[in-house]
Amino acid sequence: MIGQSNMGGRGYLKDVKPIVDEKISMLVNGRWQIMTEPINFDRPTSGVGLAASFAGAWRLKHEDGQIGLIPCADGGSSLDDWAAGGPLFDHAVLQAKLALRTSQVDGILWHQGENDSMAGRSAVYYGKLSVIVKALREELNLPDVPFIAGGLGTFLSTGRYGQYFTESDAVNSALSKYAETTPNAYFVTAEGLTANADGLHFDAVSLRKFGIRYFEAYHKRTNVWTPLPGESEMVSVVEERELNQAEKRMLLEIGFGRGEMTLSELEEKLTALK
Amino acid sequence: MIGQSNMGGRGYLKDVKPIVDEKISMLVNGRWQIMTEPINFDRPTSGVGLAASFAGAWRLKHEDGQIGLIPCADGGSSLDDWAAGGPLFDHAVLQAKLALRTSQVDGILWHQGENDSMAGRSAVYYGKLSVIVKALREELNLPDVPFIAGGLGTFLSTGRYGQYFTESDAVNSALSKYAETTPNAYFVTAEGLTANADGLHFDAVSLRKFGIRYFEAYHKRTNVWTPLPGESEMVSVVEERELNQAEKRMLLEIGFGRGEMTLSELEEKLTALK
C-alpha cells in the first residue's frame, strides 16, 4: 500500500461496517497481526481505506488463504517524495523485505497523484512513475509483481482545494497510459466515487467499493475502466461475513482495551460466547 | 521507544489533556511529522503513552529545541522477540537509521518485561537484555547512547493476568541491576503508578507522570528510585502550554478531517483565530 492520503484512507469508521477476518493480516513493526482499521495510520485522521475490502474480496476467492497488507502510504506525498532512495521509498522497501521473511509479495496497490495535479507536474507524471515502479520492482527482485493504480476522484476540482488541483484529469490520463504501456500494471477508475466534506478524500463507502475494483483488476489482471456491476453487493458480502468465536472474542477484547466496557461486562460477554 | 505494550501506551485519551507542540515530532514512514497521540499505533487499543510527557518535559528545558520520537514498541513482545536479527529489532534499527538521516539519536526509552515475568524467564532477563542493548548500540554506532528503562507496575500481580506475572519483582530487580552495572543505563521506578481496569496497562494519568520520571533520568543521567516531588505539577505545565496559531489550526484541521465539524464550521473557527 503506497501513495498518499487516499491510499492511507481517510474514510470515517462510523460510516461502514468493520471488516473482521483473522485470515487478513497487516504488517506492524515488521510482524503480522490481525487486520483492524485504520490499517495505515500515517496521520491522526486515518480511518477506512480501500485495502480492507480489497483483502475481503480476495478472501471470497480463497476460502482458506491468508492475505497480508503492508501499509506504507503517506498523506500529502508527491511523486518526488516517492523517489528511489528517499525515506518513503526506502521505508516501503524495508517493510516489504520484513514481510518477505515469512510471506510473498503478490501485488502493489498505488493511489497517488493529487499532489502532482498542479504546477505542470502532470506532464512528467508518467515518466516519474515509471522510474519509481521500476526501481521498486528491482529492489524487491519482483520484476513481474502486479501494480494496481486507482484514478483520482472526479470531485477534486470542485472540492475545498479544487483551485489547486487543475491537472487531475491529466494525472488520470498518465495513470491510464502507464497501465496500458507497462507489463503487469492496471488502472482502476474512480468514476462515481464520492468524497468527504473536504472534497479531497474518498468517503468510507466509496473506499469499500474502490477496494472491490482494485481486487477485480488484481484478480483478472485487467484494467477497470467503469464501475463494476454488483460492487456494492460484494461490499455487503465482505462486511457481513459471519464471525467465528475467536474473532468475536478479539472484538470484545479490543473494546475492553479501549475502555468501552468494564472487566465484569467483558467477562460476561466472553462467557456468553462459549 | 521500544518494548511492549506499556511503551506503546494504552492510556485512554479521554483521561488526560492532549500534549500539542509543533516542536515535538514523531517518525512516520521514515519522515518527521508533528506529534499527536497515539504515537505508537501498534494495536487498535493504542492510546496515551509515556513518550509525550517525556518530550514535553524535554521542551521545558529547550525553549527553541526540537525533539522527535521514534515509535517501535510492540504489544506482548518478550525479550526473545527483541533478539538482534529478529523483525522487531531490525525494524527498530531501520526506523532509527531513517531518523538518523536528518537527526541524531540521543536516547533509547525501554519498557518491557511483563512477558518475561513468568516461567523462570526473569532469571535470564539481565543477560538477555544486556545482549540486546549492546547489539542495538552497536548497530546504531552509538555506544554511549543513554538507555532508560522503567520498572514494571506494582499492580501486575493483582490484575486480570496476575496469576501469570509471578516474577515481576524479579524482572524489576534485573532492570535495576542492569542500570547499576551498565554505563549510561538508568532505571525509573513505577512506584505509585496505577493501571487501567485490566490491571496490566498503566493508565493515562500514570503514563504522563512516568514520562516525567523518564525525563528526569535522561536529563540528570541518574536512576529514579522514588516518585518525583512535583511530577503531577510538571505534567500540568506540559499539558497546559499555550498553543500558537499554527497549533490551534492544526487541531481544527484534524477535527475536521475526522468529520467532527462541517466545512463551514471549520472555516468559521479558522477565521476566528486570525
Side-chain angles (χ1 to χ4, degrees):
Chain A
M1 299 164 56
I2 50 178
Q4 56 178 116
S5 57
N6 278 316
M7 179 55 72
R10 302 291 188 262
Y12 306 144
L13 289 159
K14 66 177 173 53
D15 285 352
V16 290
K17 290 183 187 163
I19 294 175
V20 179
D21 184 337
E22 60 181 355
K23 289 188 172 166
I24 305 177
S25 299
M26 59 182 185
L27 198 77
V28 177
N29 291 324
R31 304 196 301 177
W32 294 114
Q33 63 175 258
I34 296 176
M35 178 195 80
T36 51
E37 292 184 279
I39 299 165
N40 193 110
F41 196 68
D42 59 310
R43 291 294 181 278
T45 49
S46 292
V48 170
L50 62 86
S53 57
F54 172 88
W58 185 93
R59 283 277 293 133
L60 295 178
K61 301 282 186 191
H62 302 83
E63 198 181 337
D64 296 314
Q66 297 202 32
I67 182 170
L69 301 165
I70 308 172
C72 301
D74 202 80
S77 53
S78 66
L79 274 185
D80 287 346
D81 291 327
W82 281 98
L88 292 180
F89 181 93
D90 286 354
H91 174 267
V93 168
L94 296 170
Q95 298 302 310
K97 287 187 175 173
L98 286 167
L100 282 166
R101 292 184 185 187
T102 56
S103 316
Q104 61 191 57
V105 171
D106 278 340
I108 299 170
L109 307 185
W110 173 268
H111 195 283
Q112 193 279 342
E114 292 87 349
N115 266 43
D116 289 273
S117 293
M118 57 188 75
R121 293 183 205 160
S122 62
V124 288
Y125 194 95
Y126 177 91
K128 285 183 180 176
L129 180 65
S130 304
V131 171
I132 292 167
V133 179
K134 187 164 180 287
L136 188 57
R137 284 171 161 173
E138 278 172 7
E139 278 285 342
L140 299 176
N141 199 22
L142 295 167
D144 303 319
V145 67
F147 176 86
I148 321 287
L152 303 183
T154 53
F155 45 74
L156 278 178
S157 61
T158 56
R160 182 179 176 203
Y161 306 97
Q163 59 182 305
Y164 304 110
F165 299 132
T166 53
E167 302 170 31
S168 55
D169 288 346
V171 167
N172 275 338
S173 299
L175 287 165
S176 306
K177 181 181 156 199
Y178 181 75
E180 292 184 297
T181 57
T182 310
N184 305 307
Y186 307 99
F187 177 78
V188 177
T189 183
E191 192 188 320
L193 303 183
T194 50
N196 287 342
D198 55 12
L200 170 58
H201 296 122
F202 293 106
D203 58 50
V205 170
S206 293
L207 286 163
R208 287 280 193 254
K209 293 181 201 166
F210 216 7
I212 302 294
R213 295 182 192 176
Y214 267 72
F215 177 71
E216 177 81 0
Y218 171 83
H219 184 62
K220 299 206 173 141
R221 301 292 197 264
T222 185
N223 296 301
V224 174
W225 297 117
T226 55
L228 300 175
E231 59 190 16
S232 297
E233 291 71 16
M234 197 179 297
V235 169
S236 296
V237 171
V238 169
E239 289 180 341
E240 281 160 25
R241 173 180 166 275
E242 197 173 341
L243 303 191
N244 65 33
Q245 296 293 86
E247 291 159 350
K248 288 178 187 170
R249 275 196 300 275
M250 181 187 80
L251 291 184
L252 288 171
E253 291 285 354
I254 290 171
F256 173 66
R258 287 173 172 165
E260 293 165 4
M261 65 187 91
T262 66
L263 182 53
S264 60
E265 283 166 345
L266 170 67
E267 284 168 349
E268 202 173 295
K269 289 178 188 193
L270 287 174
T271 304
L273 275 187
K274 286 169 190 165
Chain B
M1 298 164 57
I2 50 178
Q4 55 179 115
S5 56
N6 278 316
M7 179 55 72
R10 302 292 187 263
Y12 306 144
L13 289 159
K14 67 178 172 55
D15 285 352
V16 290
K17 290 184 188 164
I19 294 175
V20 180
D21 184 336
E22 61 181 355
K23 290 188 171 165
I24 304 176
S25 298
M26 59 183 184
L27 198 77
V28 177
N29 291 324
R31 304 197 302 178
W32 294 114
Q33 64 175 258
I34 295 176
M35 178 195 79
T36 51
E37 292 184 279
I39 299 164
N40 192 110
F41 196 68
D42 59 310
R43 291 294 182 281
T45 49
S46 292
V48 170
L50 61 87
S53 56
F54 172 88
W58 186 94
R59 283 276 294 131
L60 295 178
K61 301 281 186 191
H62 303 84
E63 199 182 336
D64 297 313
Q66 297 201 32
I67 183 170
L69 301 164
I70 308 173
C72 301
D74 203 78
S77 51
S78 65
L79 274 185
D80 286 347
D81 290 329
W82 281 98
L88 292 180
F89 181 94
D90 286 355
H91 174 266
V93 168
L94 297 169
Q95 297 302 310
K97 287 186 175 172
L98 287 166
L100 282 166
R101 293 185 184 186
T102 57
S103 316
Q104 61 191 57
V105 171
D106 277 341
I108 299 171
L109 307 185
W110 172 268
H111 195 282
Q112 192 277 343
E114 291 87 349
N115 266 42
D116 289 273
S117 293
M118 57 187 75
R121 292 184 205 161
S122 61
V124 290
Y125 195 95
Y126 177 92
K128 285 183 180 176
L129 180 65
S130 304
V131 171
I132 292 167
V133 179
K134 188 165 180 287
L136 188 56
R137 284 170 160 172
E138 278 173 6
E139 277 287 340
L140 299 176
N141 200 21
L142 294 168
D144 303 319
V145 68
F147 176 86
I148 322 287
L152 303 183
T154 54
F155 45 74
L156 278 179
S157 60
T158 56
R160 183 179 175 204
Y161 306 97
Q163 58 182 307
Y164 304 110
F165 299 134
T166 52
E167 302 170 30
S168 55
D169 288 346
V171 167
N172 275 338
S173 298
L175 288 164
S176 306
K177 182 182 156 197
Y178 180 76
E180 292 184 296
T181 57
T182 310
N184 304 307
Y186 307 99
F187 177 78
V188 177
T189 183
E191 193 187 319
L193 303 183
T194 51
N196 286 341
D198 55 12
L200 171 58
H201 296 122
F202 293 105
D203 58 49
V205 170
S206 293
L207 287 163
R208 287 281 193 254
K209 292 181 202 167
F210 216 7
I212 302 294
R213 295 181 193 177
Y214 267 71
F215 177 71
E216 178 81 0
Y218 171 83
H219 184 63
K220 299 208 172 139
R221 301 290 197 265
T222 185
N223 295 302
V224 175
W225 298 116
T226 55
L228 299 174
E231 60 191 14
S232 297
E233 291 71 16
M234 197 181 295
V235 169
S236 296
V237 171
V238 168
E239 288 181 343
E240 281 161 25
R241 173 181 166 275
E242 196 173 343
L243 302 192
N244 65 33
Q245 295 293 88
E247 291 159 349
K248 288 177 186 170
R249 275 197 299 276
M250 180 187 80
L251 291 185
L252 288 171
E253 292 284 356
I254 291 172
F256 173 66
R258 287 175 174 164
E260 293 165 5
M261 65 187 90
T262 66
L263 181 54
S264 62
E265 284 166 346
L266 171 68
E267 284 169 349
E268 200 173 295
K269 289 178 187 191
L270 287 174
T271 305
L273 275 187
K274 284 169 192 165

